[in-house]
Amino acid sequence: MDQLRIALPKGRLLTDALSFLARAGYPFSDGVERSRRLLILDQTKRLEAVLVKPRDVPVFVEYGATDLGIVGTDVLREMERDVYEPLLLPFGYCRLSVAAPADRPNMPLRLEPSPRVATSYPNLTQRFFQQRGVSPEIILLSGSVELSPLVGLADLLVDMVETGRTLRENGLVELRTIMHSQAALIANRAAYTLKAEAMMAFINDLRQAITEKVSEKF
């Protein structure tokens, strides 16, 4: 059976992704998160992992550098890459939200001439506001998005929220939820056909792990 290569996202999803893969029968050695190795085999030698930035996962998959990837659906919708999405995974739950300073709780989403909105999700943000007849000025940031309205850089921010604690601790409140997100398995379209047997075996293993995880709750 063909060995598969998977792109895994560095950062907040990695620990949960490794734990879930181990549950599905693809355990990696301890310390993978801290490894500087570029290609890492799981202990069964059936799966080879590449650790990349989350937004690079769909790129690696689309161009066939990896057969598979695990990535948040927020990144998928933002990047709009041509990949197959066979399975949602039971972790990485969060939401993409519009937020503003708490001392301006009635901050309208429609400002004149247009709101300045800081975000690292320009496409989803632009789409959300334009669907409501608003033409925002997008301020693209790669981090510290919560800081932007506090120092006058932006009127609003759009960012990922898990518990909301970071927003509250910085005097910010959520105004709208743009989308809910969770981890997803994605696949290269050509590899999905050419390596069909290995692909389906892997996906079935993940489906079984999801079923077992759900059954443990009851």
Side-chain angles (χ1 to χ4, degrees):
M1 188 177 294
D2 293 317
Q3 184 186 84
L4 296 174
R5 180 180 292 167
I6 188 169
L8 300 180
K10 296 178 181 178
R12 65 181 180 85
L13 284 182
L14 182 57
T15 299
D16 286 342
L18 290 170
S19 176
F20 183 73
L21 287 172
R23 174 187 285 268
Y26 301 86
F28 286 84
S29 300
D30 293 339
V32 167
E33 297 96 325
R34 301 181 299 278
S35 175
R36 293 181 179 273
R37 292 172 58 195
L38 301 179
L39 296 173
I40 305 168
L41 274 176
D42 82 311
Q43 294 177 15
T44 71
K45 302 189 186 309
R46 292 179 294 163
L47 188 66
E48 186 177 48
V50 181
L51 306 186
V52 300
K53 292 183 177 180
R55 296 196 179 207
D56 290 340
V57 170
V59 179
F60 274 68
V61 175
E62 180 182 11
Y63 285 94
T66 63
D67 305 304
L68 298 155
I70 291 178
V71 68
T73 52
D74 56 307
V75 173
L76 280 179
R77 303 298 168 253
E78 173 67 23
M79 301 292 291
E80 297 183 328
R81 290 289 181 173
D82 184 19
V83 295
Y84 183 51
E85 303 175 33
L87 199 60
L88 291 174
L89 304 175
F91 58 90
Y93 297 103
C94 54
R95 58 193 179 275
L96 184 67
S97 294
V98 184
D103 59 1
R104 285 174 273 167
N106 297 317
M107 168 75 72
L109 296 186
R110 184 163 191 160
L111 303 173
E112 296 299 339
S114 65
R116 287 183 299 166
V117 185
T119 187
S120 55
Y121 293 84
N123 295 327
L124 289 171
T125 299
Q126 188 81 26
R127 194 177 308 138
F128 172 81
F129 281 95
Q130 287 186 341
Q131 286 173 349
R132 287 153 181 78
V134 179
S135 298
E137 178 185 349
I138 302 294
I139 300 174
L140 182 61
L141 297 176
S142 59
S144 302
V145 177
E146 293 88 356
L147 183 63
S148 57
L150 304 180
V151 297
L153 177 63
D155 301 306
L156 304 166
L157 68 92
V158 170
D159 202 15
M160 296 308 301
V161 178
E162 290 186 60
T163 65
R165 179 178 175 182
T166 300
L167 292 178
R168 292 191 297 273
E169 290 184 351
N170 287 281
L172 300 165
V173 293
E174 291 181 72
L175 302 180
R176 299 286 192 281
T177 296
I178 293 178
M179 69 169 287
H180 291 275
S181 179
Q182 69 185 91
L185 180 73
I186 59 176
N188 175 269
R189 292 188 179 278
Y192 193 78
T193 299
L194 296 174
K195 298 182 178 181
E197 183 180 357
M199 283 279 191
M200 291 312 302
F202 180 77
I203 291 171
N204 287 337
D205 287 339
L206 266 57
R207 285 198 176 111
Q208 181 63 32
I210 292 172
T211 300
E212 292 174 356
K213 186 176 180 68
V214 171
S215 65
E216 287 178 0
K217 296 180 180 179
F218 297 96

